[in-house]
Amino acid sequence: MRSFYRVKFYMAERSKLTSFRNFLIVGSISTIANYLIFISFFAFGIQYILSSSIGYLSGVVIGYLLRKYLFKQGRGELGFIKFIILYSASLVLGLVLLFGLVNFGFVPSVAYIFSIILTTFTNLIGQELFLYSDKRGKLDFILYRYRYLIRYIVIGFGSLLIEVLFIEIVKKIFSIPSVYVILFGFLVGVVFSFILNYRINFSVSKKHNLRTFNIFLLISIFSFGLNLALLSYFAKFGYFNYEFMRFFTAGCIFMISYTLHRRITFVNVKNVGVAIYLNKSENIPQVKAKIHFYPDFIHMDLVDRTYNKNAKKVDLSIGRKISREWPGIEKMIHIMSKYPSRWINPTYKFVDWIIIHSEIQEDLAEVISLCKQYGKKVGVSISYDSNIRELIKYLPQTDMVQILGIAKPGESNQHLHHAALENLMILNSLKDQFKFDIGFDGGVKLSNIAKIDAKYVVSASTILDADDSRKAIYDLKTNSRFYTETYSDIQNFFLREIERIIKTTDCILSGTIVGSSSREKLHEAIGDIDLIIIVDKLSKRKFNDILSQFEKLREILMIDYNQNFVINSSFGPLKMNTPDNVVLHLMIYDRKGHKAHCLSSPFTCYDWQLSDKYVKEKMENIYKVHTLQPNFFLDKRRGLIDYTKDLKSNSISYREYKFDNKGMNEITRTKKMENRDYFEFSYHVMKFIMTNFVKMYSRKNFFTKNIETEYFKIYPSKKRKYQKIFTTLRKMKEEVHYRKWSNSHKKDLFEFLEDFQFQFQKQFGSHATRYYFMRHFKSEMNEASRFVGSISNPGIVRLDSKQKSYLESMIKQLKIMKTFSSPSRRALESAELLAPSSKIVINSNLSEINYGLVDGKTYDFLKDNFPNVVRAWDAKKDPRFPKGENLADVEVRLVSFLEILKKETQNTLIFTHNVILRCLLGMHYNIPRVDWYKINIPYGDPLEFINVKGRGLYPNLTTEQIEKTLGNVTSNSN
């Protein structure tokens, strides 16, 4: 325990030392900048107080940017408010000291050094006790409640500095009458103040920018007029230093201008409220712990059984508790009842607003009048699809119209309905005429808040389900201007919807998100969202049904996330993504089609098997690519020949389904490359050639962002050149910004492919040795379905002349120079058909498994006499046959033989048996030992393995051999 606390103490002290070190670095840089800027302005003739203020603020801005971007010490909105309070207080203290020292006789340049020392000390203490303290108390709530005022004061002070600095500089450079200089200085300060208030303090939608600026300018002119009046008044007493008096008079009237701006200029700022139901299911202390005093209002939902027959019992004590917990914050009650008047009397005492529905069983005008009699503001709630014409006659008596943006009020995580936005637009066109505010409740998300042009916005799940509810409120208020997780929200939305569609569609066996979107966030992924769906048996109806289900997401993506939605249902490397598009690359197969795809495009399917984002069955359990082989690079998709063909024809080949009366066909189409396609396809080719080769070479299926690093460790030829090309292509793809394609680009790509092919063929061709493993030809006992092991010694069934001639021709093409054989008669007889007995090397390690007491017997005999062996197999174990061997024993013998074989430098033929070859394939195709019995070994078919110096054996079977031998094997089979 003591050691634990020592470690904890050490880590705490180390953290403090790091913070102090960062403070020294940032402080040194910002202090030097501070003093140099002060000296520069002072030497130019700018008054020393103004010069020191500019120097100090410049140092503060530099320090803030260093902390935020270099040391990642940003603390969100509240941290920013604390930051400006601390540094503003230090500025005031520094100016007071500077003013006193100069009046005492110090030279300003020397006095400012003492001022810097004081502000540095106050900043250091303030950071420790105030700025970077994680303790939250009432001070945090006070700062948050008055954040607009605090920021307004600081922005105002900054704009005054800009104004008087502008005036001072212009006076020094130009001979312009003072009245014009003061006027221009004022306009510069107004623009500066408006931009900062608009960007930082009050979030205004873009369509209101001009109106807001015009009002801001009028109020600023009014305030400036008051300033001039005060200046004239004080000038009578001999006080007319414009710079000093401008700050003094502005300070005298700033509350007037602030109040006017809050009430008139920035009326479009959103007020965010949290919805709480008036029933016992609500946990008020838990809600309070999440939101504290940060909402602008609390929205209480009262639902009775006249509105929803399944509604929970109303508990008015929750409303009274809310009133006690959030004093000083506006409270609204949303009465969802056909007879709202019965709830008004018992609730009006603890609310400021009463919101009723337009569709009620009472006279709406009388209910509105009743609310007014109690001195409450009244809101009328309408559905997203309500007819607003029917509401117009009530608008003159209504303080607010609240739109319900979802179809089922009271249910969380619903999506915003487009009709609600249409009604919202209509209400905004009426609000100035009838003088009412607009509220919005339901479907509010951080990704769509910018579309909701309403003063009052109500949210529950977006705020209460957030990791940081305070930040969620702030993001809603600022129209998510500073929200950075929109793409993560899109990804989470897609994951939920994909899972829902797959789980609710009976014909779908498996759904998997693959490619880069399965590993990264969507905004980090380069390309589309790739989704593989496997159905039982594909038909036109099933295909269209699945497409239509995903098409329904189009409206949600546009409304909630402001993204266009494109579905690409073709197969191939076509890219349709743009910054404003979410592209779903939807590839639908059935069992048969998935198997065919694994065989024809193993690189693709091998990569897909990496994904852990799947629903229902894992795709590799339906059919699996076990490993990659050298020959895949020549005759498969994503191989050299396939890519080269497309590049030479300047087109991209892809496939899609064609449905007709005869059924379904997969047809190949081509798309002529455009400028973007050339670069994207080049990136695609380089990336997957390197990725697939490294996976094959390492015998591992893995993902790495820097695949080129691994590739050039193996094939370093022209490394620097190709790395530069690949990095450039990747950057263009990430930024969706492309140069002009030229022949030099094409030449570079072909040069890369030629270099790869040369190195590959050298390593896996001319410098490699090939071994061909064959199971002996059929024996009579094999045909009788018995356990034929090393004890039984039958001969082979005689081959006819045609069969023998075919085998001799095949072996001649393989250029066999040496032959190994098992000592069993059936293996030797097979070997002697193709090689002279004098050239056959017998190796006992190639013998068939020893079945012991079961040799020559049937499975039923084993089951009846040695049931423990069968039970062990059922339990996924590897039992020995009675007085015989198990697979592990055979594997040991095989490994011993392979060590001898690897010394052979000439093409070699090896005749052996079923279980030996099952072990060989199982080991090299990464198949679990319990599934080796499913491997089907044909008679007399040479299975090629390539021996690469220093790397060992690589299997190199044909497509037909893979399908025949491994077709029944999956990693999770029973």
Side-chain angles (χ1 to χ4, degrees):
M1 183 62 73
R2 286 181 180 176
S3 63
F4 168 76
Y5 282 112
R6 281 199 296 270
V7 170
K8 190 174 181 181
F9 174 78
Y10 168 74
M11 294 301 290
E13 291 302 307
R14 184 177 179 183
S15 178
K16 289 181 180 178
L17 286 172
T18 301
S19 298
F20 185 69
R21 181 205 64 191
N22 294 348
F23 176 82
L24 288 178
I25 295 172
V26 173
S28 299
I29 296 172
S30 57
T31 300
I32 292 169
N34 175 356
Y35 193 74
L36 289 176
I37 292 170
F38 162 76
I39 288 295
S40 300
F41 278 100
F42 185 63
F44 187 69
I46 304 299
Q47 202 265 352
Y48 74 93
I49 290 289
L50 182 58
S51 297
S52 66
S53 298
I54 297 298
Y56 176 84
L57 292 175
S58 300
V60 167
V61 170
I62 291 169
Y64 178 79
L65 295 176
L66 286 173
R67 288 185 187 91
K68 183 175 182 180
Y69 295 108
L70 188 60
F71 298 115
K72 310 297 182 184
Q73 287 184 319
R75 288 298 181 101
E77 189 204 13
L78 194 60
F80 180 71
I81 293 169
K82 286 182 174 184
F83 180 87
I84 59 179
I85 290 174
L86 169 62
Y87 282 83
S88 297
S90 293
L91 173 60
V92 172
L93 290 174
L95 292 177
V96 169
L97 178 63
L98 178 62
F99 182 77
L101 290 174
V102 171
N103 284 329
F104 191 72
F106 280 74
V107 176
S109 58
V110 176
Y112 192 52
I113 295 174
F114 289 99
S115 175
I116 288 176
I117 293 172
L118 174 64
T119 55
T120 301
F121 177 77
T122 56
N123 289 340
L124 177 59
I125 299 300
Q127 285 189 46
E128 182 67 26
L129 301 179
F130 178 65
L131 182 58
Y132 293 120
S133 173
D134 288 325
K135 295 179 180 178
R136 292 184 180 181
K138 291 184 178 179
L139 179 62
D140 277 14
F141 301 136
I142 293 170
L143 294 177
Y144 188 83
R145 296 305 297 169
Y146 294 101
R147 61 198 181 279
Y148 299 113
L149 177 60
I150 294 167
R151 289 191 297 235
Y152 182 81
I153 292 170
V154 174
I155 292 170
F157 180 76
S159 66
L160 289 174
L161 277 178
I162 294 294
E163 177 187 330
V164 296
L165 180 64
F166 176 85
I167 292 169
E168 285 286 307
I169 292 174
V170 171
K171 281 181 178 179
K172 297 289 182 184
I173 300 175
F174 304 103
S175 297
I176 300 174
S178 294
V179 64
Y180 295 117
V181 177
I182 290 172
L183 181 60
F184 282 126
F186 161 71
L187 290 174
V188 170
V190 166
V191 172
F192 175 84
S193 179
F194 174 76
I195 290 172
L196 286 189
N197 272 297
Y198 160 69
R199 293 295 299 172
I200 297 174
N201 210 15
F202 306 105
S203 180
V204 180
S205 58
K206 290 182 179 180
K207 65 181 179 180
H208 293 120
N209 278 356
L210 182 60
R211 171 191 177 279
T212 304
F213 177 73
N214 290 336
I215 296 172
F216 187 92
L217 181 61
L218 287 173
I219 293 174
S220 297
I221 291 172
F222 170 73
S223 301
F224 186 61
L226 290 179
N227 268 268
L228 293 179
L230 284 172
L231 286 169
S232 299
Y233 174 77
F234 284 110
K236 295 177 182 178
F237 301 97
Y239 304 114
F240 199 78
N241 179 301
Y242 180 83
E243 289 79 10
F244 173 77
M245 294 305 298
R246 179 76 170 98
F247 280 93
F248 178 77
T249 54
C252 292
I253 65 168
F254 90 93
M255 280 304 297
I256 297 173
S257 63
Y258 172 74
T259 303
L260 290 172
H261 284 313
R262 280 288 279 155
R263 293 183 177 275
I264 300 173
T265 310
F266 298 106
V267 292
N268 294 297
V269 174
K270 288 183 171 65
N271 292 302
V272 175
V274 177
I276 302 175
Y277 280 90
L278 297 187
N279 59 55
K280 291 188 181 297
S281 64
E282 292 286 10
N283 187 330
I284 300 303
Q286 189 178 62
V287 175
K288 178 73 176 292
K290 287 189 75 76
I291 65 174
H292 300 282
F293 292 101
Y294 296 117
D296 296 292
F297 63 93
I298 303 296
H299 184 93
M300 293 177 262
D301 284 318
L302 186 156
V303 188
D304 70 12
R305 289 175 183 171
T306 66
Y307 184 84
N308 183 345
K309 63 181 181 180
N310 298 317
K312 295 178 181 178
K313 185 178 179 181
V314 175
D315 186 356
L316 295 181
S317 68
I318 300 293
R320 290 187 286 272
K321 190 170 184 179
I322 289 171
S323 182
R324 293 192 300 270
E325 291 291 335
W326 284 279
I329 294 182
E330 272 195 321
K331 284 166 278 293
M332 300 179 179
I333 186 165
H334 178 194
I335 301 175
M336 287 177 261
S337 172
K338 296 291 184 181
Y339 304 94
S341 60
R342 68 177 63 170
W343 295 109
I344 293 173
N345 185 59
T347 61
Y348 80 91
K349 291 182 181 179
F350 54 78
V351 298
D352 304 287
W353 288 76
I354 298 174
I355 303 171
I356 55 178
H357 276 262
S358 58
E359 297 91 359
I360 56 176
Q361 299 298 317
E362 298 179 300
D363 187 285
L364 185 58
E366 291 181 3
V367 178
I368 292 173
S369 178
L370 177 62
C371 295
K372 294 283 188 180
Q373 290 175 25
Y374 286 113
K376 303 301 173 184
K377 294 181 180 179
V378 183
V380 176
S381 181
I382 62 172
S383 176
Y384 67 88
D385 57 352
S386 292
N387 187 345
I388 293 179
R389 290 182 182 177
E390 298 174 0
L391 186 67
I392 289 178
K393 62 182 177 181
Y394 302 105
L395 292 180
Q397 292 79 42
T398 303
D399 298 296
M400 178 178 69
V401 177
Q402 175 183 275
I403 300 178
L404 295 176
I406 53 178
K408 299 177 182 178
E411 294 185 15
S412 297
N413 294 316
Q414 294 186 70
H415 297 288
L416 183 62
H417 201 285
H418 71 89
L421 295 178
E422 295 170 5
N423 267 344
L424 184 60
M425 189 182 303
I426 297 171
L427 287 174
N428 270 297
S429 69
L430 296 172
K431 71 174 183 178
D432 291 333
Q433 178 185 350
F434 292 101
K435 309 299 180 188
F436 63 88
D437 290 320
I438 300 175
F440 200 95
D441 183 8
V444 176
K445 295 181 177 63
L446 292 167
S447 55
N448 64 24
I449 186 64
K451 293 185 174 186
I452 301 173
D453 189 8
K455 182 175 182 179
Y456 297 97
V457 175
V458 182
S459 177
S461 57
T462 296
I463 294 173
L464 297 177
D465 293 345
D467 294 332
D468 187 342
S469 295
R470 179 181 62 184
K471 185 178 183 301
I473 293 170
Y474 171 65
D475 285 329
L476 289 172
K477 287 187 70 63
T478 55
N479 286 322
S480 290
R481 179 176 289 150
F482 309 108
Y483 183 63
T484 59
E485 300 299 320
T486 299
Y487 287 102
S488 294
D489 292 343
I490 294 174
Q491 185 178 47
N492 291 332
F493 163 73
F494 259 106
L495 290 175
R496 288 194 304 270
E497 290 301 313
I498 287 170
E499 182 176 10
R500 177 187 62 79
I501 291 171
I502 291 171
K503 283 185 174 179
T504 56
T505 307
D506 292 337
C507 69
I508 296 179
L509 305 175
S510 168
T512 310
I513 295 178
V514 300
S516 54
S517 53
S518 71
R519 298 182 282 264
E520 308 163 27
K521 293 182 179 179
L522 296 183
H523 68 285
E524 294 172 349
I526 306 174
D528 309 337
I529 307 166
D530 297 312
L531 174 62
I532 311 303
I533 284 181
I534 303 174
V535 301
D536 45 14
K537 189 173 182 180
L538 193 58
S539 64
K540 183 177 181 180
R541 181 186 61 79
K542 291 177 182 177
F543 182 82
N544 289 335
D545 177 60
I546 294 169
L547 279 182
S548 67
Q549 291 190 64
F550 283 101
E551 282 287 351
K552 293 175 184 177
L553 306 181
R554 187 183 305 280
E555 182 180 306
I556 298 172
L557 278 164
M558 176 52 69
I559 294 175
D560 277 359
Y561 303 103
N562 208 34
Q563 293 282 322
N564 296 314
F565 184 44
V566 177
I567 297 179
N568 172 15
S569 60
S570 69
F571 308 100
L574 287 182
K575 297 296 178 185
M576 303 177 181
N577 57 302
T578 69
D580 297 324
N581 275 356
V582 172
V583 181
L584 178 64
H585 191 183
L586 180 62
M587 291 162 276
I588 304 174
Y589 300 90
D590 56 16
R591 283 184 182 274
K592 183 179 178 181
H594 173 61
K595 177 182 176 180
H597 190 233
C598 287
L599 294 170
S600 61
S601 188
F603 292 129
T604 306
C605 297
Y606 194 62
D607 181 59
W608 288 352
Q609 291 167 189
L610 272 175
S611 176
D612 59 355
K613 291 182 180 178
Y614 64 91
V615 184
K616 290 186 177 176
E617 192 77 8
K618 201 169 184 178
M619 69 161 60
E620 67 181 34
N621 290 350
I622 298 173
Y623 199 88
K624 180 177 181 177
V625 176
H626 294 277
T627 193
L628 300 180
Q629 302 181 169
N631 59 357
F632 289 173
F633 286 90
L634 300 176
D635 61 359
K636 302 295 182 185
R637 293 173 192 154
R638 278 195 185 174
L640 279 168
I641 294 175
D642 188 57
Y643 282 143
T644 303
K645 181 181 176 183
D646 278 358
L647 288 167
K648 286 182 177 179
S649 65
N650 295 318
S651 61
I652 300 172
S653 60
Y654 65 97
R655 291 158 292 113
E656 61 184 16
Y657 289 129
K658 181 180 179 181
F659 295 94
D660 52 30
N661 295 332
K662 297 180 181 179
M664 176 190 76
N665 290 302
E666 193 177 293
I667 59 174
T668 300
R669 298 189 184 278
T670 58
K671 175 186 181 294
K672 208 69 179 173
M673 289 193 203
E674 299 174 2
N675 190 69
R676 172 181 172 175
D677 297 322
Y678 283 116
F679 287 106
E680 287 198 346
F681 192 64
S682 297
Y683 172 78
H684 174 91
V685 169
M686 288 190 74
K687 176 185 175 182
F688 286 109
I689 284 291
M690 291 189 290
T691 300
N692 296 331
F693 172 71
V694 171
K695 285 184 178 183
M696 190 274 294
Y697 189 80
S698 65
R699 301 182 179 88
K700 293 178 183 177
N701 197 5
F702 66 98
F703 167 75
T704 177
K705 283 188 175 181
N706 300 313
I707 190 65
E708 67 272 24
T709 303
E710 300 299 322
Y711 174 81
F712 288 115
K713 287 179 183 176
I714 308 167
Y715 287 168
S717 176
K718 301 178 185 176
K719 169 184 173 180
R720 187 169 297 178
K721 176 181 179 179
Y722 296 139
Q723 273 190 324
K724 184 178 180 181
I725 293 170
F726 186 66
T727 302
T728 302
L729 290 170
R730 175 189 280 157
K731 186 176 180 181
M732 283 194 285
K733 188 167 177 62
E734 287 173 342
E735 297 175 354
V736 198
H737 181 73
Y738 303 92
R739 301 172 185 171
K740 180 71 175 175
W741 179 261
S742 66
N743 287 331
S744 64
H745 293 118
K746 189 173 184 178
K747 181 181 176 184
D748 287 339
L749 184 59
F750 272 107
E751 189 177 337
F752 167 78
L753 293 176
E754 287 167 4
D755 275 345
F756 168 74
Q757 187 171 9
F758 175 77
Q759 293 171 103
F760 180 83
Q761 289 183 337
K762 181 179 178 182
Q763 186 174 34
F764 287 87
S766 60
H767 286 201
T769 306
R770 282 166 164 73
Y771 305 140
Y772 298 92
F773 290 83
M774 286 182 69
R775 184 182 181 184
H776 59 81
F777 302 120
K778 271 188 180 181
S779 72
E780 294 177 357
M781 290 187 71
N782 288 130
E783 291 179 332
S785 299
R786 298 176 180 274
F787 290 107
V788 183
S790 58
I791 298 174
S792 299
N793 203 19
I796 62 171
V797 177
R798 188 176 297 276
L799 302 181
D800 59 33
S801 58
K802 187 176 180 180
Q803 289 174 317
K804 187 175 179 182
S805 176
Y806 168 76
L807 286 169
E808 288 174 347
S809 174
M810 178 182 64
I811 295 300
K812 188 176 181 180
Q813 290 178 3
L814 300 180
K815 299 179 181 179
I816 301 299
M817 303 301 293
K818 192 170 184 177
T819 303
F820 283 90
S821 175
S822 155
S824 299
R825 178 183 165 193
R826 55 191 181 279
L828 278 170
E829 286 182 356
S830 299
E832 287 169 354
L833 286 172
L834 302 172
S837 58
S838 59
K839 290 188 176 182
I840 298 173
V841 179
I842 298 173
N843 191 301
S844 60
N845 284 325
L846 292 173
S847 298
E848 181 61 290
I849 188 173
N850 182 353
Y851 288 117
L853 299 178
V854 184
D855 195 288
K857 305 294 193 297
T858 63
Y859 176 79
D860 289 337
F861 175 85
L862 172 70
K863 186 177 179 181
D864 293 339
N865 294 276
F866 304 100
N868 57 319
V869 174
V870 177
R871 285 194 294 269
W873 286 341
D874 292 339
K876 308 288 186 183
K877 295 180 181 180
D878 181 28
R880 282 190 173 86
F881 284 89
K883 295 189 177 182
E885 293 179 309
N886 62 2
L887 290 176
D889 296 328
V890 177
E891 186 178 350
V892 170
R893 288 197 281 111
L894 175 61
V895 169
S896 296
F897 172 74
L898 293 179
E899 290 302 315
I900 297 171
L901 183 64
K902 287 175 185 176
K903 297 175 184 177
E904 297 297 331
T905 58
Q906 296 175 314
N907 290 359
T908 303
L909 180 63
I910 303 100
F911 278 95
T912 184
H913 302 271
N914 183 38
V915 177
I916 286 281
L917 293 176
R918 281 179 174 176
C919 291
L920 180 70
L921 295 183
M923 289 162 54
H924 287 86
Y925 282 92
N926 303 311
I927 300 170
R929 187 181 288 162
V930 294
D931 289 330
W932 288 0
Y933 75 96
K934 296 179 182 178
I935 299 173
N936 179 45
I937 306 297
Y939 296 101
D941 189 5
L943 307 177
E944 182 180 85
F945 281 74
I946 299 176
N947 182 27
V948 177
K949 189 176 181 180
R951 298 297 302 173
L953 298 184
Y954 288 86
N956 207 39
L957 275 61
T958 65
T959 299
E960 293 74 18
Q961 287 174 331
I962 292 171
E963 184 176 7
K964 188 182 295 184
T965 57
L966 306 178
N968 296 326
V969 184
T970 61
S971 63
N972 293 328
S973 297
N974 295 321

